[in-house]
Amino acid sequence: MSAAGSLPGDGDDGPVRPSGLLDVLRVASVVLDAQGRITLWSPQAEELFGYGAQEALGQYAARIMVHE
């Protein structure tokens, strides 16, 4: 499953079905690189933080996830 929540090569516009344990448990997943930039942003992270994967990927996590 891609970070945006769709399956690669998935041509239909139907709902995305859970594909792993984190999806079934509805756990928000965020992965950072060594510099603190977001490299994976799950659909559940979109729901929790309010930013889509397109907005979050490549950004510094502190700017997206920590509010003043």
Side-chain angles (χ1 to χ4, degrees), residues 10-61:
D10 192 12
D12 69 344
D13 292 324
V16 175
R17 299 192 191 282
S19 62
L21 182 60
L22 294 180
D23 290 333
V24 172
L25 296 176
R26 307 234 351 111
V27 174
S29 303
V30 177
V31 175
L32 309 178
D33 66 11
Q35 290 76 40
R37 291 184 184 263
I38 298 168
T39 60
L40 180 128
W41 191 257
S42 73
Q44 293 80 9
E46 282 188 29
E47 292 175 26
L48 181 63
F49 294 103
Y51 296 98
Q54 294 288 339
E55 298 170 281
L57 293 173
Q59 299 296 321
Y60 286 104

